[in-house]
Amino acid sequence: MLLKPPVNVLNIQRMSTEDGPGLRTTLFLKGCNLRCAWCHNPESIDARPVVQWNKVRCIGCRSCNDVCQNGALRLTERGIFIAAENCSLCLDCVEECPSGSLNVKGEDFEVEKLFTELLKDRAYFGEDGGVTISGGEPLLQPEAVTWLLEALKKTGINTALDTAGLVNTDLFLRALQHADLLLYDIKLMDDAEHRRHTGGGNARILDNLVKAAPFLKESGKRLWIRTPVIPGATDSKENIRAIAVFLAGPVGDAVERWELCAFNNLCLHKYESLGRDWAYKDTALVTDQAMNELLLLAASELKSSGIELHGTGSTRSTSTSEE
Ligand code: SF4
Ligand code: SF4
């Protein structure tokens, strides 16, 4: 019997159209075992709750700076800096702030309560929509995630699991039994490059997908692969070609769709609110020409595999970039 520990939730995002088919509710869990340099959800990395600062609301009164007994919070020229490693989550600063500029991201939910919360949204799921469990890395909380997926499926709700795949194989395959769709990231095929840009190797990630593919195929479950196109990291032709060859090969029969997701910097404010620097803060969008070239290359490698290829996200026009 599965244990049901509390679930560490970052956010419940309703009416989402980006995490699977139809209108969905996406449950973002906290905690991740990768450290992708371009991460778009930095507040999800730490498994613990984190204190976030809202620049727009802040009136610069320094009350938070004065009340923190742990030296975790300081007011700098660029705003409030919070050193998460020193923060005891006493929440004195949150209570003291007169403008509501500080709040906590992350909350423990009883899994049954979370299930009840997700059920409230079924009115808009329709035929295609449903619930997607994402993160962070959701399978760092495997018992709760598996229980939730199973409970949702039993009520007839379409389920999707969004994982980076650097997880225990048995726990991954067990959770998959209750998912209608697997959203799976493949970022880099070169192991050394994967380690350099994400902090972890890719052998387990690729191996888990190879092991899951026959089951996905036989059971008629859907598999969507996503590759973030990150300038200077994942956007080389060699990398995209290598991923295409892998997808058209050992797992190809199971793959329905491959998305190349163009980099964006919409998450910059999240880094600012956490008082963290971001290596990609000055990085420009991928040009439309570069994106099209990668898509053409990917299409030619996929050949007649039957895998649908999609480019997503905003790009900048080549003419603008040349001005
Ligand atoms: S929660 Fe407590 S320890 Fe953390 S920054 Fe605020 S006052 Fe300091
Ligand atoms: S207490 Fe609130 S308003 Fe005052 S400086 Fe800190 S975050 Fe800004």
Side-chain angles (χ1 to χ4, degrees):
M1 193 174 77
L2 292 176
L3 296 172
K4 290 184 287 175
V7 195
N8 196 343
V9 175
L10 171 67
N11 186 26
I12 299 174
Q13 187 172 315
R14 297 192 151 91
M15 310 285 275
S16 169
T17 55
E18 295 179 353
D19 302 301
L23 267 184
R24 311 190 72 82
T25 293
T26 304
L27 173 66
F28 290 96
L29 303 188
K30 270 183 72 60
C32 190
N33 53 358
L34 288 173
R35 293 293 180 270
C36 304
W38 55 82
C39 178
H40 279 57
N41 284 320
E43 74 279 33
S44 73
I45 293 173
D46 197 331
R48 301 185 318 154
V50 287
V51 177
Q52 264 192 330
W53 171 65
N54 183 324
K55 176 162 96 174
V56 177
R57 287 187 165 192
C58 180
I59 57 174
C61 70
R62 303 187 68 91
S63 303
C64 54
N65 192 80
D66 298 340
V67 80
C68 182
Q69 300 292 312
N70 293 332
L73 184 154
R74 57 197 162 80
L75 192 56
T76 70
E77 278 180 8
R78 290 176 45 214
I80 301 288
F81 175 80
I82 300 164
E85 64 277 15
N86 296 333
C87 175
S88 66
L89 289 170
C90 68
L91 305 191
D92 288 351
C93 59
V94 176
E95 283 166 24
E96 201 66 26
C97 176
S99 65
S101 306
L102 295 166
N103 58 66
V104 181
K105 290 298 275 187
E107 184 181 351
D108 280 349
F109 269 83
E110 294 301 326
V111 70
E112 285 94 346
K113 189 175 160 209
L114 191 53
F115 173 60
T116 307
E117 191 64 29
L118 295 169
L119 283 185
K120 290 179 188 169
D121 302 338
R122 64 187 311 173
Y124 67 72
F125 291 156
E127 281 190 16
D128 293 334
V131 172
T132 299
I133 304 186
S134 182
E137 174 48 67
L139 288 177
L140 296 183
Q141 303 183 63
E143 279 74 23
V145 166
T146 303
W147 188 90
L148 267 177
L149 289 170
E150 185 174 9
L152 288 163
K153 266 215 70 69
K154 278 183 180 163
T155 61
I157 291 176
N158 180 281
T159 55
L161 175 64
D162 177 10
T163 174
L166 186 59
V167 291
N168 175 285
T169 304
D170 292 340
L171 297 177
F172 168 57
L173 295 176
R174 187 182 63 175
L176 262 193
Q177 308 280 329
H178 311 293
D180 295 301
L181 166 69
L182 174 63
L183 296 165
Y184 206 84
D185 282 5
I186 297 187
K187 302 172 176 93
L188 287 150
M189 287 302 286
D190 182 274
D191 184 60
E193 285 295 292
H194 200 281
R195 285 177 195 279
R196 186 158 81 88
H197 292 289
T198 75
N202 65 5
R204 170 73 63 93
I205 294 169
L206 300 178
D207 190 50
N208 275 346
L209 192 60
V210 170
K211 287 187 170 129
F215 165 68
L216 293 168
K217 173 76 179 162
E218 283 161 22
S219 54
K221 293 176 187 287
R222 304 170 83 178
L223 170 59
W224 291 8
I225 304 295
R226 298 199 287 197
T227 299
V229 177
I230 310 296
T234 68
D235 66 339
S236 72
K237 290 184 176 170
E238 293 72 28
N239 184 48
I240 298 302
R241 182 181 291 113
I243 296 175
V245 168
F246 174 71
L247 294 181
V251 296
D253 278 357
V255 182
E256 175 184 325
R257 168 182 171 123
W258 180 24
E259 279 179 28
L260 298 186
C261 316
F263 165 84
N264 69 64
N265 56 12
L266 299 175
C267 61
L268 178 57
H269 72 282
K270 296 184 181 180
Y271 283 88
E272 290 174 345
S273 71
L274 292 166
R276 292 186 201 160
D277 199 13
W278 187 39
Y280 286 85
K281 65 176 183 286
D282 297 321
T283 302
L285 298 182
V286 182
T287 64
D288 48 11
Q289 183 181 338
M291 195 70 182
N292 286 336
E293 285 175 6
L294 292 179
L295 286 164
L296 280 173
L297 172 69
S300 76
E301 294 292 341
L302 291 178
K303 296 192 182 93
S304 55
S305 65
I307 297 171
E308 287 173 27
L309 184 63
H310 294 261
T312 62
S314 302
T315 52
R316 68 195 156 104
S317 83
T318 310
S319 56
T320 306
S321 68
E322 285 171 352
E323 281 168 8

